[in-house]
Amino acid sequence: MSAAATRRLTTAQALVRFLAAQHTERDGVRRRLITGVWGIFGHGNVAGLGQALVEYREAMPFHQGRNEQAMVHAAVGHARQLDRLSAQAVTTSIGPGATNLVTGAALATVNRLPVLLLPGDCFASHAADPLLQQLEHPVEADVSVNDALRPVSRYFDRVTRPEALLASALRAVRVLTDPAETGAVTLALPQDVQAEAYDWPEEFFADRVWRVRRPAPDPAELAEAVRAVRAAARPLIVAGGGIHHSEAEQALKALVDATGIPVASTQAGKGALRHDHPADLGGIGHTGTAVSDALARTADLVIGVGTRYSDFTTASGTLFQHPDVRFLNLNITAFDAHKLAADTLVCDARAGLTALARALSGHRVDAAYETEYRTGKARWDEVVERAFGADDDRAVPTQTQVLGALDSVVGDEDVVINAAGSLPGDLHKLWRARSPRQYHLEYGYSCMGYEIPAAIGVQQAAPGTSVWALVGDGTYLMNPTEIVTAVQENLPVKLVLVQNHGYASIGGLSESVGAERFGTDYRHRAADGSFTGDPLPVDLAANAASLGMHVLRAKTVRELREALTTARAATRPTCVYVETAPALEPVPAEAWWDVPVAEVSERAAATEARAAYERAVADRRHHL
């Protein structure tokens, strides 16, 4: 018998060839798993992965990034747009390049989104210790800065010998493609091992298909779920991001159409129903709508679908106030399904919703309940119209009027991206999502600086789609550098840069908790340390232009609509810059959020805030 065929390649070359041959398949549709690699090269990866990516540039697309964290954000946005069925890899050097991955990795894992991280690492042979950028540990010689990625990765391995990649690469891809386990996956690659040659079995490079499961619900769990729904007088569905990941929107609509159960959505789940569906109540929780939160307070059964129940969703445990409220959680991840002492349906969202609809045939909520929530929805629609509208289109727009102008311009399939600041609250309460992928909010990690790189990743995933990154001045200053990448790759992303001269969201929170907006304004500091009332003369529009974007400045509501229309038609990266006026009647929060206030203070603002805090926290419940 002849020996098995082998191919002599470096470890880095073998990894690139392996990744190019991996595919996912769901519902009979096959997709490439790793669609490309983002990279910034340094001495820790240029001679290994850098050379391999040149060697196989026809097999593996490469994208040049400017900031390591931003590269991960771009990859995460890409994976989310493609329902986690495709992903991207990110390679960095050792040292600061590797540690800059940590925030992006945490964001990916928190949001259950796949990304493959390939940071360089110190010499496995220790031949060059200590090398440039190496962290020396006095008692653990095998520790490197890459170990900071362990707690934020769903799978981590340091590949210290070429042959170790054979098992580790397969394990890494298994996690990337498992909808119940996915998140950031890290393969730390010592730079000497990257360049070392090995005789690889040809089977390692064969096309491999990873089937993404749709596990069905357990029959006993399904029967219990049906009994719970039939017994409920005031059921409410909480739609989470798992509905989108499973492409379960039509299954949800079929269940709702048949039963009349209303739907409130988390930030990740918004758009699970189209906004004008009579049972869509909009956002839920601290940034939710009045109708959603009112029903949540009186619901006797809360049906969570694909949600992990963050504190914003539950109003820090104060939202669900019915004395006999119970929870039914449909989730592919048992960890999330068991939250709030719920009855569980551990299964794929589409499979579970379809089975539930079939088993509930003939069941419908009381007509009076439908009338109640439809009336509440109509009242909230009036709130949205007032917030979006402008009596004078020659006036400086408020932030909600910026959203109203964008709402009047976007098409049904446009994608609107945001992550941090005051915009997520306004968007969750007010945005009218018209399609499943239009509303793209990263609020699991609420990471400033996500929006621009994520827009690039989404644009790569959906060429021909208008992709909008909504960015406040604070988050823009965190991470504008990937504008250069959008220009380099000629990706026509649209940036809406909202200037309100400060961290408006945290400024308002600071005031509400007795911290008096300290450290949240962009103002001149006088010689005595005090601040003047004048904002800093910072021109962020000029900054965006200097990085290569075409910039349109808008001063009025009318100019804003015109600029947005022009931007939507643009074929190059375009920024619409607008300074906003304070809202005369801001849309208030409809539910509480727990931010602990100083228990003792000599300042009146903090004392008053503590009294309000103690009144609110008294409503917290432990659902057991």
Side-chain angles (χ1 to χ4, degrees):
M1 181 183 292
S2 62
T6 61
R7 187 179 310 186
R8 190 161 183 82
L9 301 172
T10 69
T11 304
Q13 292 165 356
L15 178 58
V16 172
R17 288 294 302 265
F18 170 83
L19 292 176
Q22 307 306 301
H23 302 82
T24 63
E25 184 176 290
R26 188 170 72 180
D27 303 330
V29 178
R30 183 173 299 187
R31 298 169 177 83
R32 179 171 175 150
L33 173 60
I34 303 298
T35 64
V37 177
W38 286 90
I40 296 176
F41 292 116
H43 68 92
N45 63 343
V46 66
L49 274 170
Q51 188 282 328
L53 288 164
V54 171
E55 186 98 8
Y56 299 115
R57 63 194 308 171
E58 301 301 321
M60 181 60 69
F62 175 75
H63 310 292
Q64 183 181 6
R66 268 73 194 179
N67 175 280
E68 292 88 357
Q69 180 188 135
M71 293 193 299
V72 185
H73 293 338
V76 166
H78 186 84
R80 174 169 167 171
Q81 181 68 20
L82 296 174
D83 301 318
R84 307 190 301 186
L85 298 171
S86 293
Q88 293 177 320
V90 178
T91 179
T92 71
S93 187
I94 71 167
T99 53
N100 281 349
L101 295 173
V102 173
T103 296
L107 181 148
T109 297
V110 164
N111 287 285
R112 289 33 170 190
L113 293 166
V115 61
L116 176 61
L117 307 180
L118 304 172
D121 211 322
C122 303
F123 281 57
S125 66
H126 296 283
D129 287 5
L131 68 154
L132 178 65
Q133 299 178 323
Q134 179 176 346
L135 171 72
E136 292 183 274
H137 196 289
V139 296
E140 294 182 277
D142 62 341
V143 167
S144 81
V145 297
N146 283 329
D147 289 280
L149 287 160
R150 288 181 184 272
V152 293
S153 298
R154 294 291 290 167
Y155 177 78
F156 178 98
D157 192 17
R158 181 176 284 112
V159 183
T160 56
R161 293 179 60 86
E163 60 266 35
L165 182 66
L166 293 168
S168 189
L170 291 167
R171 292 170 184 158
V173 174
R174 183 196 68 78
V175 174
L176 287 171
T177 57
D178 188 328
E181 294 190 36
T182 195
V185 168
T186 300
L187 295 181
L189 302 170
Q191 53 187 304
D192 54 345
V193 176
Q194 289 182 50
E196 188 175 346
Y198 182 75
D199 292 324
W200 302 89
E202 283 287 353
E203 293 88 347
F204 189 56
F205 308 116
D207 280 353
R208 191 180 302 268
V209 177
W210 301 79
R211 288 183 174 81
V212 180
R213 305 178 188 90
R214 287 196 182 278
D218 175 82
E221 286 194 335
L222 179 61
E224 185 62 33
V226 170
R227 283 193 291 270
V229 175
R230 289 187 180 277
R234 300 180 64 82
L236 173 67
I237 293 172
V238 176
I243 290 176
H244 294 311
H245 300 328
S246 177
E247 297 178 283
E249 297 89 357
Q250 288 304 312
L252 175 67
K253 182 178 182 298
L255 173 66
V256 171
D257 287 345
T259 64
I261 301 173
V263 176
S265 56
T266 69
Q267 286 279 18
K270 195 172 172 76
L273 284 183
R274 188 180 158 97
H275 76 93
D276 51 5
H277 190 285
D280 179 68
L281 308 182
I284 189 171
H286 177 62
T287 52
T289 68
V291 58
S292 286
D293 287 350
L295 259 67
R297 291 186 181 97
T298 60
D300 56 357
L301 179 68
V302 178
I303 307 168
V305 184
T307 177
R308 61 190 191 91
Y309 286 112
S310 76
D311 62 340
F312 261 53
T313 299
T314 68
S316 300
T318 65
L319 186 58
F320 305 112
Q321 287 295 323
H322 190 287
D324 299 316
V325 65
R326 299 302 299 169
F327 296 86
L328 169 63
N329 291 339
L330 192 166
N331 204 298
I332 199 167
T333 304
F335 176 81
D336 290 317
H338 282 274
K339 289 176 179 176
L340 302 175
D343 291 331
T344 60
L345 274 176
V346 180
C347 60
D348 170 75
R350 183 196 285 183
L353 288 169
T354 300
L356 198 57
R358 188 181 303 116
L360 286 168
S361 178
H363 175 76
R364 192 168 184 89
V365 300
D366 189 81
Y369 184 50
E370 288 193 72
T371 299
E372 176 188 345
Y373 70 68
R374 291 188 183 198
T375 301
K377 174 180 172 65
R379 285 197 298 266
W380 188 258
D381 288 342
E382 294 172 1
V383 173
V384 174
E385 288 295 333
R386 289 196 298 272
F388 278 5
D391 295 332
D392 183 359
D393 65 3
R394 296 167 297 179
V396 176
T398 65
Q399 182 165 282
T400 59
Q401 288 169 347
V402 170
L403 300 182
L406 185 61
D407 176 76
S408 71
V409 169
V410 299
D412 284 9
E413 300 305 317
D414 289 18
V415 179
V416 177
I417 301 173
N418 187 241
S422 58
L423 277 165
D426 287 341
L427 284 160
H428 198 208
K429 288 191 286 275
L430 304 173
W431 188 258
R432 299 184 282 214
R434 307 176 198 176
S435 63
R437 301 297 172 273
Q438 183 175 80
Y439 188 87
H440 183 127
L441 260 284
E442 189 291 297
Y443 217 59
Y445 210 50
S446 186
C447 186
M448 296 176 73
Y450 171 82
E451 297 91 338
I452 296 171
I456 292 171
V458 171
Q459 192 75 80
Q460 290 174 328
T465 299
S466 292
V467 181
W468 302 84
L470 273 60
V471 180
D473 48 83
T475 196
Y476 176 85
L477 287 169
M478 282 276 185
N479 203 3
T481 52
E482 239 51 42
I483 286 174
V484 177
T485 300
V487 172
Q488 180 181 37
E489 300 215 1
N490 197 29
L491 296 169
V493 295
K494 293 91 171 63
L495 170 61
V496 181
L497 178 48
V498 180
Q499 170 66 280
N500 57 19
H501 299 288
Y503 299 99
S505 174
I506 295 301
L509 177 62
S510 172
E511 191 169 46
S512 72
V513 298
E516 303 173 58
R517 291 187 177 264
F518 179 75
T520 63
D521 289 335
Y522 297 156
R523 294 181 294 167
H524 285 285
R525 187 186 292 272
D528 63 0
S530 64
F531 286 97
T532 71
D534 299 324
L536 293 173
V538 176
D539 190 341
L540 298 183
N543 179 264
S546 76
L547 296 175
M549 268 201 151
H550 178 54
V551 176
L552 304 168
R553 295 176 183 258
K555 295 182 178 179
T556 67
V557 174
R558 179 188 299 171
E559 290 178 2
L560 176 61
R561 282 196 296 267
E562 293 170 352
L564 292 171
T565 301
T566 300
R568 188 170 188 272
T571 57
R572 57 180 289 193
T574 301
C575 170
V576 176
Y577 174 85
V578 59
E579 295 193 42
T580 57
L584 296 177
E585 295 182 12
V587 182
E590 297 290 339
W592 186 60
W593 180 40
D594 189 350
V595 179
V597 177
E599 193 167 0
V600 295
S601 174
E602 295 180 1
R603 301 184 68 84
T607 301
E608 294 168 6
R610 179 67 191 191
Y613 176 84
E614 291 177 353
R615 289 192 296 271
V617 78
D619 289 333
R620 174 175 285 142
R621 296 182 61 185
H622 297 286
H623 299 287
L624 302 173

